[in-house]
Amino acid sequence: MTLFENLPNEVLYEIFDFLNLCHAFDAFFNLNTRFQHLLINSPLHLKIDFSYISKLTFQHCCTYIIQPNIHRVLSLRLLNPLAIDFFHSLLSFNASFSQLESLIFTQINFKKLEPTLSSLSSLPRLYSLTINNNIEVCDSSEIYRLIFHLPVLKNCIISPKFYGGNLTLHAATNEHSPIEHLSINRHCSLNQFISLISYTPKLSHLSSLSISEPSNTRMNIISIVYPKLTHISLKLWRMSFDSFELLCSKLFSHLEFLSICTRADDHYLMAHRWQQLIMNYMPNLRIFDFQHYWEPVDDNNTEQRTYHRLIDCFTSSFWINREWFFAHQHFSRRGIRDAVFYSTHPYRRNLYELHERAHNDACPRREKGKNLARRVNIDDYRAATNCSLQFPYANELSLWGRGAKGNFSFLADLSHMFNFSKLTHFSVQCPDFGLSQLIELLKHLPNIHSLMLYANTSYLSSEQVQPVCFLSNENRITNVTIRGRCTIQQVHLLMNFCPRVKCLEIEIDEDQLESVVRFLLLGKTIHMQIDSPKSKTLLLREFDSLQRKFLYLFSRSPNKKLNPSDDLSTSMLNQHSCNSNLFSICFFNPKSGMEQKLQRMISREKLLNDYSIGSVFNYLYLWW
């Protein structure tokens, strides 16, 4: 059998091209001089993804891969603000990146985004730009102006998770952007929407905007014709159907794809108005993807019958001939009655929300069969009982709701709905969901690498902090988020059944800070020391000293007394390097002074040799 290192260069280049280059570098660079030469002098275009990577590997990739081959970098993804800052300390975006076509920033500090965008104007082939951010709280008008000035940009995605910033962008005069695909996941007024698109006369795809209609909207200021605008995806909050109709007459004459989500206004449920609107202003429309949310006022059948009379009109020959079909759900979401009328197959909506059926829902027009959504939120686990829907392509699953205690039957229900091997992201916020249920479910999800848990749930309660034997070799979870303030006991429990965690996002009380960080960095400290020339005996003594210090601090809790049966040292000593994969901690909602306190502690106890630390709004990042 041929040895791997004897494979011809062409085959190895194909392998490197298939892998994340940073992972290939980490795995092969130090094997021998041949692999070093192959990685540094590869003729391939470089696609570099700096997601979930340690600071040391990041620095080596920048030094040995990017700097000598800056002219061959085709795409680049930077994950956290500390990595972005470190990248800028080593390299600059200038004309040397002559082949860079795609750039993705995740969690970039908006305060540092302006100078970064200014430097991007010198890139001759930057066709695609993505900015995914935790928060947008500043006035982002200058950000958009700089983006619209990028000379060859074709695709742009701007997606903050939360947006509270102002947008005072004025309509364009002589400024025209070459952008054709634009996705902006934020809320704006109708006037702001008109100003935004005035910069992009070549626009063909527009998505993700949520639009409301203030009283001072002036629709007559729309003067640009958009002959290439064929795809639009919008959410309309507090916007009348009359205004939407006027907007269609101004902008949508060439539209082929319309995805629209509306709420409350019953005029959006009048099929005859839609029919006239489509025939008069959107004659080329091929796909009509529609969602309308309606909040019942009274829990009675009269209101339901009125609602059903409206939606039954969407079954005429006009809709059937175009193969536009619809379904709806009546449900109660966290105690609030709601209903949704929506398009079904063949559309691939990215997110599908499954709710428990309302007790008075007698309508048979519910969706059945296969749904092509990638992300599924089950608002109440009981909604999965006897559910006829299947999600064969879903890779993200979120479970919510109460009443799951001691119930393992949901596993069978979920197995009929999902291909477990395809799921990579999992979130569970069932408050009474037990630890044994969580472990059992994770055993059936072999490819989960991103996990979100909640501190106020039963599976992370103080009664279940006994060390668990869930160090499965099949567990691939590398990215964990805990929402809500968690304790040192909960963090220890988490690291027991997720031993491969690389990135951890948590929220903790200030009095728990040092004990949590000490525990998380303890395995890293021992791992680093093992590589030093110290004797094993001395290492064990040092580890025992650190362990005793940790146990002493843990035992000071007034409601906790350690005894031999639940002493954490037993499991920790057997897995002293269980945290050695960890290289990033993100603290949500840090208290004032937490950054300085962490720096003093790390320095005093020599927990890390080389690390970066910094705050971005309500996040504190620690990266090494």
Side-chain angles (χ1 to χ4, degrees):
M1 183 177 180
T2 303
L3 296 176
F4 180 81
E5 56 265 32
N6 293 334
L7 292 173
N9 291 353
E10 294 76 13
V11 175
L12 292 174
Y13 283 140
E14 288 190 21
I15 295 174
F16 293 161
D17 193 41
F18 177 77
L19 296 173
N20 181 335
L21 184 63
C22 295
H23 295 161
F25 176 89
D26 202 24
F28 298 113
F29 187 78
N30 291 319
L31 289 181
N32 53 49
T33 55
R34 180 192 174 215
F35 279 96
Q36 292 178 3
H37 177 81
L38 288 173
L39 286 166
I40 293 175
N41 300 294
S42 167
L44 303 173
H45 281 120
L46 304 182
K47 302 173 184 178
I48 300 173
D49 186 351
F50 281 131
S51 301
Y52 310 118
I53 187 172
S54 69
K55 185 178 180 181
L56 181 61
T57 302
F58 182 96
Q59 182 176 7
H60 286 171
C61 284
C62 288
T63 303
Y64 297 110
I65 299 294
I66 296 182
Q67 283 183 333
N69 303 282
I70 196 169
H71 59 287
R72 293 196 291 112
V73 177
L74 186 68
S75 64
L76 180 63
R77 181 181 181 185
L78 294 163
L79 180 64
N80 69 55
L82 302 182
I84 296 170
D85 291 345
F86 193 42
F87 181 88
H88 282 302
S89 70
L90 300 172
L91 298 158
S92 299
F93 287 114
N94 53 43
S96 299
F97 281 96
S98 57
Q99 298 298 315
L100 185 61
E101 297 183 359
S102 175
L103 184 58
I104 299 175
F105 294 121
T106 301
Q107 318 298 49
I108 188 171
N109 188 342
F110 255 66
K111 294 180 181 179
K112 299 181 180 180
L113 186 54
E114 288 186 25
T116 300
L117 289 172
S118 298
S119 66
L120 297 182
S121 60
S122 63
L123 303 183
R125 296 176 61 85
L126 185 62
Y127 301 135
S128 179
L129 175 64
T130 299
I131 302 172
N132 296 316
N133 215 54
N134 268 336
I135 196 91
E136 179 183 333
V137 293
C138 58
D139 187 333
S140 54
S141 303
E142 185 61 25
I143 301 296
Y144 291 109
R145 290 191 190 97
L146 291 168
I147 290 173
F148 292 146
H149 277 98
L150 295 177
V152 296
L153 193 65
K154 301 292 185 184
N155 305 305
C156 182
I157 299 174
I158 306 174
S159 182
K161 291 182 181 178
F162 311 102
Y163 36 80
N166 297 320
L167 182 59
T168 56
L169 194 67
H170 299 292
T173 52
N174 297 319
E175 305 157 289
H176 293 153
S177 168
I179 291 176
E180 298 174 2
H181 291 230
L182 179 61
S183 176
I184 304 178
N185 185 20
R186 66 161 294 152
H187 176 82
C188 65
S189 68
L190 186 53
N191 285 333
Q192 292 169 335
F193 165 73
I194 294 170
S195 296
L196 276 170
I197 63 173
S198 69
Y199 289 82
T200 55
K202 296 182 179 181
L203 200 62
S204 65
H205 290 63
L206 177 65
S207 63
S208 298
L209 277 168
S210 299
I211 305 176
S212 62
E213 177 193 18
S215 58
N216 62 344
T217 300
R218 294 184 300 156
M219 201 81 69
N220 58 353
I221 66 175
I222 301 179
S223 57
I224 303 175
V225 178
Y226 294 85
K228 296 183 179 181
L229 186 56
T230 58
H231 290 64
I232 279 189
S233 176
L234 299 173
K235 295 178 181 178
L236 304 182
W237 306 141
R238 301 187 303 277
M239 183 173 178
S240 69
F241 191 92
D242 291 336
S243 295
F244 176 69
E245 188 173 28
L246 185 56
L247 187 66
C248 291
S249 68
K250 296 283 187 178
L251 295 176
F252 296 173
S253 59
H254 297 87
L255 211 61
E256 298 177 7
F257 175 97
L258 174 63
S259 177
I260 184 169
C261 183
T262 63
R263 177 174 283 278
D265 187 352
D266 287 348
H267 288 90
Y268 285 102
L269 289 178
M270 294 182 177
H272 69 280
R273 291 200 64 175
W274 274 112
Q275 184 172 333
Q276 292 300 315
L277 181 65
I278 291 169
M279 290 191 300
N280 292 338
Y281 300 120
M282 295 180 280
N284 301 317
L285 194 66
R286 296 182 293 103
I287 294 179
F288 179 64
D289 186 3
F290 178 51
Q291 293 182 80
H292 179 78
Y293 285 89
W294 165 72
E295 297 178 8
V297 178
D298 298 311
D299 190 8
N300 59 56
N301 293 329
T302 302
E303 193 175 23
Q304 255 195 52
R305 284 194 294 269
T306 302
Y307 175 70
H308 289 163
R309 279 197 296 270
L310 289 173
I311 65 177
D312 284 344
C313 295
F314 285 87
T315 58
S316 68
S317 59
F318 174 84
W319 307 97
I320 294 174
N321 292 341
R322 288 166 173 76
E323 297 184 343
W324 295 342
F325 304 106
F326 306 88
H328 73 279
Q329 296 184 49
H330 294 266
F331 55 90
S332 176
R333 176 165 47 186
R334 301 176 186 92
I336 301 175
R337 290 190 300 273
D338 213 338
V340 58
F341 175 67
Y342 60 100
S343 302
T344 58
H345 184 79
Y347 307 130
R348 176 173 288 177
R349 193 173 291 114
N350 185 45
L351 172 64
Y352 187 91
E353 294 186 350
L354 182 65
H355 308 279
E356 185 185 14
R357 191 166 182 166
H359 72 276
N360 65 335
D361 180 10
C363 181
R365 292 181 57 192
R366 293 177 65 88
E367 187 176 0
K368 299 179 181 179
K370 293 183 178 180
N371 185 286
L372 306 181
R374 302 287 184 178
R375 298 163 51 210
V376 180
N377 292 345
I378 299 180
D379 187 61
D380 191 307
Y381 87 98
R382 290 167 291 192
T385 304
N386 300 321
C387 180
S388 59
L389 279 173
Q390 294 178 319
F391 302 93
Y393 301 105
N395 54 30
E396 296 188 30
L397 172 61
S398 296
L399 293 178
W400 296 69
R402 293 182 176 273
K405 186 175 182 179
N407 182 3
F408 284 83
S409 63
F410 67 90
L411 279 172
D413 295 323
L414 294 178
S415 67
H416 289 121
M417 298 169 61
F418 298 94
N419 182 342
F420 281 166
S421 64
K422 288 185 177 293
L423 293 174
T424 57
H425 297 72
F426 179 58
S427 171
V428 55
Q429 194 184 10
C430 301
D432 53 2
F433 202 78
L435 179 61
S436 58
Q437 290 171 287
L438 176 63
I439 292 176
E440 185 65 25
L441 184 54
L442 288 176
K443 287 180 180 178
H444 289 80
L445 305 177
N447 295 317
I448 294 293
H449 61 74
S450 181
L451 179 65
M452 180 179 286
L453 304 176
Y454 291 79
N456 61 343
T457 52
S458 177
Y459 56 76
L460 286 182
S461 68
S462 58
E463 289 78 14
Q464 304 202 54
V465 298
Q466 304 294 334
V468 295
C469 297
F470 187 56
L471 302 178
S472 171
N473 291 328
E474 303 300 322
N475 186 338
R476 301 184 181 182
I477 298 170
T478 58
N479 187 23
V480 173
T481 299
I482 302 182
R483 285 284 175 252
R485 294 189 180 275
C486 57
T487 64
I488 176 61
Q489 299 98 318
Q490 292 172 326
V491 173
H492 177 263
L493 173 67
L494 170 71
M495 298 306 293
N496 263 277
F497 64 79
C498 298
R500 292 180 174 81
V501 171
K502 296 180 179 179
C503 300
L504 177 64
E505 182 178 320
I506 56 176
E507 182 180 2
I508 56 175
D509 289 318
E510 187 173 4
D511 60 355
Q512 297 266 314
L513 175 66
E514 291 197 2
S515 58
V516 167
V517 173
R518 186 178 292 108
F519 165 68
L520 291 173
L521 298 185
L522 185 61
K524 176 63 65 175
T525 303
I526 297 300
H527 181 75
M528 291 187 299
Q529 290 176 340
I530 288 175
D531 294 330
S532 70
K534 293 183 178 181
S535 68
K536 292 183 179 180
T537 302
L538 183 58
L539 286 176
L540 289 174
R541 288 177 181 173
E542 290 182 355
F543 177 75
D544 183 65
S545 175
L546 287 170
Q547 179 63 58
R548 290 176 182 275
K549 187 175 184 179
F550 169 78
L551 292 172
Y552 167 73
L553 292 170
F554 177 73
S555 64
R556 293 178 68 186
S557 172
N559 299 320
K560 178 68 178 177
K561 182 179 180 181
L562 294 175
N563 53 61
S565 63
D566 64 3
D567 193 337
L568 298 181
S569 63
T570 303
S571 62
M572 291 178 66
L573 284 170
N574 290 332
Q575 49 156 338
H576 59 77
S577 62
C578 70
N579 303 341
S580 61
N581 295 305
L582 188 68
F583 54 73
S584 175
I585 308 174
C586 177
F587 299 95
F588 182 61
N589 282 335
K591 297 295 184 182
S592 177
M594 183 179 285
E595 181 177 340
Q596 293 75 20
K597 187 175 182 180
L598 270 179
Q599 287 178 306
R600 290 193 297 268
M601 173 191 173
I602 293 172
S603 175
R604 180 178 67 249
E605 302 185 18
K606 299 179 181 180
L607 295 174
L608 293 172
N609 293 329
D610 182 21
Y611 68 96
S612 295
I613 189 170
S615 299
V616 178
F617 193 64
N618 55 345
Y619 290 87
L620 173 62
Y621 294 88
L622 177 63
W623 180 50
W624 60 90

